[in-house]
Amino acid sequence: MNAVEELNRKGRQAKEASYQLAALSTRVKNKALLAMAAALREQTSFLLQENARDLEQGKQNGMRQGLLDRLMLNQQRISGMAEGIEQIAALPDPIGEMISQVKRPNGLKIGKVRVPLGVIGIIYEARPNVTADAAGLCIKAGNAVILRGGKEAAFSNRAIVKVMQEAAYAAGLPEGSIHLVEDTSRESATALMRLNEYLDVIIPRGGAGLIRAVVENATVPAIETGTGNCHVYVDSSADLEMAKRIVINAKTQRPSVCNAEEKLLVHQAAAGAFLPMILPELAKRGVEIIGDQRVCSLYPDAIPASEDDWGQEYLDLKLAVKIVDSLEEAISHINRYNSRHSEAIVTRDYAASQKFLDEIDAAAVYVNASTRFTDGFEFGFGAEIGISTQKIHARGPMGLAELTTTKYIIFGNGQIRE
Amino acid sequence: MNAVEELNRKGRQAKEASYQLAALSTRVKNKALLAMAAALREQTSFLLQENARDLEQGKQNGMRQGLLDRLMLNQQRISGMAEGIEQIAALPDPIGEMISQVKRPNGLKIGKVRVPLGVIGIIYEARPNVTADAAGLCIKAGNAVILRGGKEAAFSNRAIVKVMQEAAYAAGLPEGSIHLVEDTSRESATALMRLNEYLDVIIPRGGAGLIRAVVENATVPAIETGTGNCHVYVDSSADLEMAKRIVINAKTQRPSVCNAEEKLLVHQAAAGAFLPMILPELAKRGVEIIGDQRVCSLYPDAIPASEDDWGQEYLDLKLAVKIVDSLEEAISHINRYNSRHSEAIVTRDYAASQKFLDEIDAAAVYVNASTRFTDGFEFGFGAEIGISTQKIHARGPMGLAELTTTKYIIFGNGQIRE
């Protein structure tokens, strides 16, 4: 069976299941989620055994240690996946909420009600925990899901999905609600991105290359997630001790994630005092400093920045630093180079804070806080499917509500249009 | 200058203007809109003169009368465009609304505020009124706009845009807020769909072919609009007089629009009484009846339906009619063949109405009313940029709010992530 045939078959099954799922009670969805979590715990040894096959293959193919680590499951990680699903079960069900209802002059009552999207495609890389997490979120929001993970995790993903399917269907979830694409060739990824007949939306979770491929090739509506070229701007009026804490946190607390700081902009009036405070501290923590000309002359250990640096997401212990002459220059630099993710200003000046909040074009704009808070859990959503960096449908962390759509339901008594 | 160069230049200008537009007061935006409307009225003779060049060319190229009529401007139509913009000026400004604000346990205040999308691309066909209408809506919601109309209306569109630009910029709208793509080749349409660097969203307004081309080729996030294969289902319990009024209205009041009825499903228990009531009435109004086997045997004038008929949008005085054995069959037929636009049930049965509302997958689901009400004006939005038939971002009629996005603004006092 080729990729297109597999996708069409699973797409059709998922679409059929999605109609039943949309009408399913919260009680049954939660029962299925808790059964999935329990089954993952119970079948830990089966999951570890299948994961070992992926790890073995990865080692044979010379996979880097970092990737092997992401791929690896252990008892704690499996328990973490189960806990994640239990937390999703505990969240309020977004489906069925009447967002608004108006009565029109002709007597029509027009209500807007929250409903599932339908069938969601998730395309991701080598992290098997995404399999459980994404399935849990989609199901809770009443959607069928087609998962397409990376070939590196094929055995692990198949095992996780098998365990979840058996438990969920036994607990009353419609068969066909959860699918894994078994073909892990490039063709299956492309076919999923173009499965318009059955898919309502596709969400990539992974690196910049994957996201670009989806934006470039998908005909199914896609939600762009994840790339974060995040800036912290230290204003002339900043509390420099606060700025130091924020920059160290934003850059070093977890440098490999999309809400970590990648760029530091410093107002020229603060640079003389601030750079000697912050740059040696960062260097001590292993951060490589890349600087514009003025930074390099103040801090000779810095590597001169190239034009390319300003647009890049390092995801590493690297920070490009630039001195700006004004708040306006900081704002226009950020709007030119950022990836519309998370941007912060450190300031004591009211007008500067307002201007930054008003004029920066990003999903999340911070005053006096670390960019690291852009996250579904930190925002209080209880869970997250990803962070949208596009402007349509959802912007910023996406929780359960972002996995839904609305429909208008109209109550008439014979109205016709004149 | 080729299409790509033109698009890049205009895209860059629009992006720059969009930052100023996002911060512009409602007062200035409204002043610009009213100036645009006044200028259109004042320059009626210039607009008619340029429109005459398009009409002349259309006649020479053997354009059909229907298309010539859509292309034609007259004093009344120009006045209608101006009135449309004045109505947009009178609507409340969606920008700046704080949709929610929460205070997190760590003291962070996280607000969600409504902001413009940025730069919107509108791609459309030969109707010059779309030029004024789309520009007015985009500007009011704080967006820059790049218009790409059909080559048939090139002179008219250029004239309308010139008049609007001069008036708007003189009234304080940032230069570069309104653009028309002058190159009307296929290349310019494709280039606009792929202008990801500058465009935040693209919205097609036109026929099924145009919409398909955008879905197929756009890498810019697109909003699918317009195709409507709408059904009216007459339940066994229906008030047949009401059903007759609704079907005649939905089918014949304006057959060329997307919310017109294309299919009639009748419960077998009602068919014997209802078909003789409705089909001759429709035929009398010039409607061609296409029927499934059972319909053809009850009403021999019907043309036998082919499988293709059930998925088609006729946009014409044609109606395909089918007898179904149950409400369940009606729902599953509709979910299989509809275009997710507007669907209606006529019933006196409470449970049937609830089931239909719950289970039909469409932007608008009606009980006992004509599908013709799916429209921004009828829904009380005061204006409409189109009707979304996709599920992400917006579903159903799109007014000013659907031309916006949100951003999170976060007020901290030094918070860092542990």
Side-chain angles (χ1 to χ4, degrees), chain B residues 279 288-297 299 301-306 309-310 319-323:
Chain B
L279 298 184
E288 183 180 306
I289 306 294
I290 294 147
D292 74 349
Q293 225 173 342
R294 285 196 275 179
V295 170
C296 288
S297 70
Y299 183 76
D301 287 353
I303 299 161
S306 71
D309 278 297
W310 306 115
L319 181 71
V321 186
K322 184 183 171 68
I323 296 175

Short mmCIF file of all heavy atoms in Angstrom, two decimals, chain B residues 279 288-297 299 301-306 309-310 319-323:
data_model
loop_
_atom_site.label_atom_id
_atom_site.label_comp_id
_atom_site.label_asym_id
_atom_site.label_seq_id
_atom_site.Cartn_x
_atom_site.Cartn_y
_atom_site.Cartn_z
N LEU B 279 -42.75 21.32 -6.72
CA LEU B 279 -42.02 21.23 -7.98
C LEU B 279 -42.68 22.03 -9.10
O LEU B 279 -41.98 22.76 -9.82
CB LEU B 279 -41.78 19.76 -8.37
CG LEU B 279 -40.91 18.98 -7.35
CD1 LEU B 279 -40.62 17.56 -7.85
CD2 LEU B 279 -39.61 19.71 -7.02
N GLU B 288 -35.11 24.52 -13.30
CA GLU B 288 -34.96 23.19 -13.90
C GLU B 288 -34.83 22.18 -12.76
O GLU B 288 -34.01 22.36 -11.86
CB GLU B 288 -33.69 23.22 -14.76
CG GLU B 288 -33.41 21.96 -15.52
CD GLU B 288 -32.13 22.13 -16.34
OE1 GLU B 288 -32.03 23.10 -17.12
OE2 GLU B 288 -31.22 21.29 -16.17
N ILE B 289 -35.66 21.14 -12.78
CA ILE B 289 -35.66 20.16 -11.69
C ILE B 289 -34.86 18.93 -12.11
O ILE B 289 -35.13 18.33 -13.15
CB ILE B 289 -37.10 19.72 -11.33
CG1 ILE B 289 -37.99 20.94 -11.03
CG2 ILE B 289 -37.09 18.72 -10.17
CD1 ILE B 289 -37.63 21.71 -9.81
N ILE B 290 -33.91 18.56 -11.24
CA ILE B 290 -33.11 17.36 -11.45
C ILE B 290 -33.48 16.44 -10.30
O ILE B 290 -33.54 16.89 -9.15
CB ILE B 290 -31.62 17.72 -11.44
CG1 ILE B 290 -31.32 18.60 -12.66
CG2 ILE B 290 -30.73 16.49 -11.44
CD1 ILE B 290 -30.27 19.63 -12.43
N GLY B 291 -33.75 15.18 -10.58
CA GLY B 291 -34.26 14.34 -9.50
C GLY B 291 -33.57 12.99 -9.38
O GLY B 291 -33.05 12.48 -10.38
N ASP B 292 -33.59 12.43 -8.19
CA ASP B 292 -33.13 11.04 -8.07
C ASP B 292 -34.25 10.15 -8.62
O ASP B 292 -35.30 10.65 -9.05
CB ASP B 292 -32.74 10.71 -6.63
CG ASP B 292 -33.95 10.55 -5.70
OD1 ASP B 292 -35.07 10.90 -6.13
OD2 ASP B 292 -33.76 10.10 -4.56
N GLN B 293 -34.02 8.85 -8.59
CA GLN B 293 -34.96 7.94 -9.24
C GLN B 293 -36.39 8.09 -8.73
O GLN B 293 -37.35 8.17 -9.49
CB GLN B 293 -34.49 6.50 -9.00
CG GLN B 293 -34.55 5.66 -10.27
CD GLN B 293 -33.92 4.29 -10.02
OE1 GLN B 293 -33.18 4.10 -9.05
NE2 GLN B 293 -34.21 3.35 -10.89
N ARG B 294 -36.51 8.16 -7.39
CA ARG B 294 -37.86 8.25 -6.81
C ARG B 294 -38.55 9.56 -7.18
O ARG B 294 -39.76 9.61 -7.43
CB ARG B 294 -37.79 8.08 -5.29
CG ARG B 294 -37.54 6.63 -4.90
CD ARG B 294 -37.87 6.39 -3.44
NE ARG B 294 -36.72 6.74 -2.60
CZ ARG B 294 -36.74 6.64 -1.27
NH1 ARG B 294 -37.84 6.28 -0.63
NH2 ARG B 294 -35.66 6.94 -0.56
N VAL B 295 -37.77 10.63 -7.21
CA VAL B 295 -38.35 11.93 -7.61
C VAL B 295 -38.83 11.87 -9.06
O VAL B 295 -39.93 12.32 -9.39
CB VAL B 295 -37.33 13.07 -7.40
CG1 VAL B 295 -37.82 14.37 -8.04
CG2 VAL B 295 -37.03 13.27 -5.91
N CYS B 296 -37.98 11.28 -9.92
CA CYS B 296 -38.35 11.21 -11.34
C CYS B 296 -39.62 10.39 -11.57
O CYS B 296 -40.41 10.70 -12.47
CB CYS B 296 -37.19 10.62 -12.17
SG CYS B 296 -35.80 11.76 -12.33
N SER B 297 -39.81 9.36 -10.71
CA SER B 297 -41.03 8.57 -10.92
C SER B 297 -42.27 9.32 -10.43
O SER B 297 -43.36 9.14 -10.95
CB SER B 297 -40.89 7.18 -10.27
OG SER B 297 -40.92 7.32 -8.87
N TYR B 299 -42.40 12.69 -10.47
CA TYR B 299 -42.48 13.93 -11.23
C TYR B 299 -41.70 13.74 -12.52
O TYR B 299 -40.50 14.01 -12.60
CB TYR B 299 -41.87 15.06 -10.38
CG TYR B 299 -41.95 16.44 -11.01
CD1 TYR B 299 -43.16 17.15 -11.03
CD2 TYR B 299 -40.81 17.03 -11.56
CE1 TYR B 299 -43.22 18.41 -11.60
CE2 TYR B 299 -40.87 18.30 -12.13
CZ TYR B 299 -42.07 18.98 -12.14
OH TYR B 299 -42.15 20.23 -12.70
N ASP B 301 -41.30 15.18 -15.22
CA ASP B 301 -40.59 16.26 -15.91
C ASP B 301 -39.15 16.43 -15.40
O ASP B 301 -38.37 17.16 -16.01
CB ASP B 301 -41.32 17.60 -15.70
CG ASP B 301 -42.61 17.65 -16.50
OD1 ASP B 301 -42.83 16.70 -17.30
OD2 ASP B 301 -43.38 18.61 -16.33
N ALA B 302 -38.81 15.79 -14.28
CA ALA B 302 -37.46 15.97 -13.73
C ALA B 302 -36.42 15.28 -14.61
O ALA B 302 -36.70 14.25 -15.24
CB ALA B 302 -37.40 15.40 -12.32
N ILE B 303 -35.26 15.87 -14.65
CA ILE B 303 -34.13 15.27 -15.36
C ILE B 303 -33.41 14.34 -14.39
O ILE B 303 -33.15 14.74 -13.25
CB ILE B 303 -33.16 16.39 -15.82
CG1 ILE B 303 -33.89 17.35 -16.77
CG2 ILE B 303 -31.89 15.82 -16.45
CD1 ILE B 303 -33.19 18.68 -16.91
N PRO B 304 -33.07 13.12 -14.80
CA PRO B 304 -32.41 12.20 -13.85
C PRO B 304 -31.05 12.75 -13.40
O PRO B 304 -30.27 13.24 -14.22
CB PRO B 304 -32.25 10.91 -14.67
CG PRO B 304 -33.24 11.01 -15.78
CD PRO B 304 -33.37 12.47 -16.09
N ALA B 305 -30.82 12.70 -12.10
CA ALA B 305 -29.57 13.21 -11.53
C ALA B 305 -28.43 12.23 -11.78
O ALA B 305 -28.62 11.02 -11.76
CB ALA B 305 -29.74 13.43 -10.04
N SER B 306 -27.24 12.75 -12.00
CA SER B 306 -26.04 11.91 -12.02
C SER B 306 -25.32 12.13 -10.69
O SER B 306 -25.60 13.07 -9.96
CB SER B 306 -25.14 12.31 -13.18
OG SER B 306 -24.55 13.57 -12.90
N ASP B 309 -24.11 15.57 -9.82
CA ASP B 309 -25.02 16.63 -9.43
C ASP B 309 -24.96 16.94 -7.93
O ASP B 309 -25.06 18.09 -7.53
CB ASP B 309 -26.47 16.26 -9.80
CG ASP B 309 -26.76 16.57 -11.26
OD1 ASP B 309 -26.70 17.76 -11.62
OD2 ASP B 309 -27.04 15.63 -12.03
N TRP B 310 -24.79 15.90 -7.11
CA TRP B 310 -24.92 16.12 -5.65
C TRP B 310 -23.86 17.02 -5.07
O TRP B 310 -24.08 17.67 -4.06
CB TRP B 310 -25.01 14.77 -4.92
CG TRP B 310 -26.11 13.92 -5.48
CD1 TRP B 310 -25.98 12.74 -6.13
CD2 TRP B 310 -27.51 14.25 -5.52
NE1 TRP B 310 -27.20 12.28 -6.57
CE2 TRP B 310 -28.16 13.18 -6.20
CE3 TRP B 310 -28.29 15.32 -5.06
CZ2 TRP B 310 -29.54 13.16 -6.41
CZ3 TRP B 310 -29.66 15.30 -5.26
CH2 TRP B 310 -30.27 14.23 -5.93
N LEU B 319 -32.25 22.92 -9.60
CA LEU B 319 -32.34 22.36 -8.25
C LEU B 319 -32.34 20.84 -8.36
O LEU B 319 -33.13 20.27 -9.10
CB LEU B 319 -33.64 22.82 -7.57
CG LEU B 319 -33.86 22.32 -6.14
CD1 LEU B 319 -32.91 23.01 -5.17
CD2 LEU B 319 -35.31 22.55 -5.69
N ALA B 320 -31.44 20.19 -7.63
CA ALA B 320 -31.45 18.73 -7.58
C ALA B 320 -32.22 18.29 -6.34
O ALA B 320 -32.04 18.85 -5.26
CB ALA B 320 -30.03 18.17 -7.56
N VAL B 321 -33.12 17.32 -6.53
CA VAL B 321 -34.06 16.93 -5.48
C VAL B 321 -33.89 15.44 -5.19
O VAL B 321 -33.78 14.63 -6.12
CB VAL B 321 -35.52 17.20 -5.94
CG1 VAL B 321 -36.50 16.94 -4.80
CG2 VAL B 321 -35.67 18.63 -6.46
N LYS B 322 -33.89 15.11 -3.90
CA LYS B 322 -33.68 13.72 -3.51
C LYS B 322 -34.65 13.36 -2.39
O LYS B 322 -34.90 14.17 -1.49
CB LYS B 322 -32.24 13.56 -3.03
CG LYS B 322 -31.82 12.14 -2.66
CD LYS B 322 -30.39 12.14 -2.13
CE LYS B 322 -30.04 10.78 -1.55
NZ LYS B 322 -29.96 9.74 -2.61
N ILE B 323 -35.17 12.16 -2.44
CA ILE B 323 -36.01 11.66 -1.34
C ILE B 323 -35.13 10.83 -0.41
O ILE B 323 -34.37 9.99 -0.88
CB ILE B 323 -37.19 10.83 -1.88
CG1 ILE B 323 -38.11 11.75 -2.73
CG2 ILE B 323 -37.98 10.17 -0.75
CD1 ILE B 323 -39.25 11.03 -3.42
#
